[in-house]
Amino acid sequence: MNSPNPTTVAASPPETPPRRRAIRLPKDRQAIVDNFFRFQSLFGLVAVFLIAIAVSPSRNGENVFLSSGNLANIVRAVSEIGIIAVGMTFVILIGGIDLSVGAVLGLAAVGSATLMVDSGLGIVPTVLIVLFIGTAFGATQGAIVARLGIQSFIVTLAGLQAARGIARMWSGGLGIPIAYGEGPQEAPEAFSLLSGSINGVLPVPALIFLAIGVGALLVLRSTAFARHVYAIGGNEKAARLSGVPVRRVRVTVFAISGLLAALAGIIHAGQLNQGSPNDGAGYELDAIAAVVIGGTSLAGGSGSMGGTIAGALLLGILNNILALNNIDANVQLVVKGLVIVAAAALQRLRPRIA
C-alpha cells in the first residue's frame, strides 16, 4: 500500500506587534500640543508652585512657603542637585548615564576638607586640585565607555564604588570636620562664604547654580559641541558617518559631569563644614529625576537645559512643601516616584501626537 505523500506546511512569518498610530491634529491644536511638550517642565513647575502656596501652613498669618527664609532654603537645597543635574543632562543627551556623580561629590567633599585642614592648602589650590580630580575621574569613565564599548551604566556603577572606596581610604572612613581660622588644622575663613548669602537673600550656592545653568544653557543653544551631542544621542552611527568625533565628545561629556559633581562636592563641604566619604549618597538618582522631569529623553537626542533647571526646582519645591506639612518621609518618596513616572509617561505619549 502506498503511503500518502506528506504535506508540507509553509512556515508563517512571525507576527509583528502593531505600530501605534499617531494622533493627527489640526494645525492650531498641534501647535498647542507642541508648546505643551516643549515647556512641560515649566508648566509643571508653575503648577507645583501654585499648589505649594495653596497647601502651605501659615504662621502668624503668613504663608510659610512664601516666606523669604523658606524660599532661600529651597534654592540652597536645590543647588547641589541642580549642578549635578546640569552635567547629567549632557550625559543623558548622548544616550548615556552617570551613576558615579554622588560618590564623586563625596570624594570632592573629602578632598576639600583634607587638603585644607590636614595639608594646609589654601582655597585656590584646593579647589583646582579637587576640580581636576573630578574632571579626570569623569574623563576616565568616558574613555572606557568610548574605547571599550562598555555600557555607561556598568562603567559608572563601577566608578561609584571606586569613588566611595577612594574617599574612605583618603579620610580613614571618617568625616573630616572643617574649622575656620589661621592656625594648624584650620581652613581659611573665606571658605565659609559657601554657606552664606548675598545681602541675606540669595544663597551663594544658588548663585553658583544659576551661573552654571545659564552657561550650560548657552552652550546647548549655540555651539557646535551641542550639535554633536544631540547628533550622537539621536543616531550615533549616522553622527560618526557625518564626521562627528564621537569618542572625543563622549569623553568630554563625562568629564563635564565629573567636573560639576566635584564642584557640587566643594559646595557641599562648605555648607556642612565637613567632608564625609558618605556624602552624596543617592544624589545621582535625584539628578536623573530632575533631568527626566525636565523632559530630556533617557534614550538621548532630545532635551533642554532649561527643562533640567525647572525639573530640579520642581523637586526642591515638592520636597519642601511635603516637609512643611509633616508628610511621612516614606510617603514623600512615593510621591516623588509618582512624579517621575508621570514625567516619563509624558515622554512616551509625545511621539504619538503627530
Side-chain angles (χ1 to χ4, degrees):
M1 180 181 294
N2 295 329
S3 59
N5 292 330
T7 59
T8 58
V9 179
S12 58
E15 295 184 1
T16 57
R19 297 179 63 183
R20 295 183 302 162
R21 292 184 178 179
I23 302 173
R24 301 285 179 179
L25 296 175
K27 289 185 177 180
D28 55 343
R29 293 186 180 181
Q30 181 67 47
I32 295 174
V33 171
D34 288 342
N35 285 328
F36 170 78
F37 281 109
R38 182 181 179 185
F39 300 107
Q40 68 178 54
S41 56
L42 181 59
F43 291 145
L45 176 60
V46 172
V48 171
F49 188 85
L50 294 176
I51 292 172
I53 293 174
V55 302
S56 171
S58 298
R59 184 179 300 131
N60 299 324
E62 180 186 8
N63 188 294
V64 176
F65 174 77
L66 289 177
S67 65
S68 59
N70 185 67
L71 293 178
N73 287 336
I74 291 174
V75 293
R76 181 185 296 277
V78 162
S79 59
E80 294 174 24
I81 295 296
I83 291 172
I84 294 175
V86 168
M88 186 72 73
T89 302
F90 284 102
V91 175
I92 292 179
L93 280 174
I94 63 168
I97 202 76
D98 189 351
L99 299 179
S100 69
V101 288
V104 172
L105 181 149
L107 175 61
V110 166
S112 299
T114 302
L115 292 174
M116 287 189 295
V117 174
D118 293 342
S119 301
L121 295 183
I123 295 177
V124 173
T126 294
V127 169
L128 292 178
I129 292 172
V130 171
L131 291 181
F132 174 78
I133 291 173
T135 304
F137 195 93
T140 301
Q141 294 184 124
I144 294 173
V145 172
R147 294 289 179 178
L148 301 183
I150 305 175
Q151 291 291 332
S152 59
F153 179 91
I154 301 299
V155 173
T156 58
L157 181 61
L160 182 156
Q161 303 295 332
R164 287 283 179 217
I166 295 171
R168 287 173 182 170
M169 289 188 292
W170 200 353
S171 66
L174 302 174
I176 302 174
I178 299 176
Y180 298 105
E182 298 180 358
Q185 303 291 306
E186 291 181 331
E189 188 72 32
F191 194 71
S192 65
L193 293 175
L194 289 174
S195 61
S197 58
I198 307 298
N199 294 327
V201 177
L202 181 63
V204 172
L207 185 63
I208 298 174
F209 170 41
L210 178 63
I212 295 295
V214 171
L217 189 66
L218 295 175
V219 168
L220 275 187
R221 284 188 174 182
S222 58
T223 64
F225 172 73
R227 291 191 290 273
H228 292 167
V229 167
Y230 281 110
I232 294 171
N235 190 321
E236 181 177 336
K237 183 177 180 180
R240 182 178 288 108
L241 293 175
S242 300
V244 174
V246 174
R247 287 182 177 178
R248 187 172 66 197
V249 172
R250 196 177 294 278
V251 172
T252 302
V253 160
F254 277 93
I256 291 172
S257 182
L259 169 67
L260 294 182
L263 176 60
I266 295 171
I267 294 172
H268 187 84
Q271 292 200 95
L272 297 187
N273 296 327
Q274 74 158 8
S276 168
N278 297 319
D279 286 342
Y283 276 34
E284 62 277 0
L285 301 181
D286 284 340
I288 294 170
V291 176
V292 172
I293 291 173
T296 297
S297 171
L298 286 173
S302 175
S304 70
M305 197 60 66
T308 293
I309 295 171
L313 290 172
L314 187 153
L315 279 178
I317 293 173
L318 187 63
N319 289 335
N320 180 263
I321 196 60
L322 291 174
L324 288 179
N325 285 279
N326 296 318
I327 303 299
D328 183 84
N330 296 317
V331 177
Q332 293 184 33
L333 294 175
V334 172
V335 173
K336 288 170 62 176
L338 292 175
V339 171
I340 295 169
V341 170
L346 280 176
Q347 290 185 17
R348 181 70 175 170
L349 176 64
R350 184 173 187 173
R352 299 183 62 184
I353 308 295

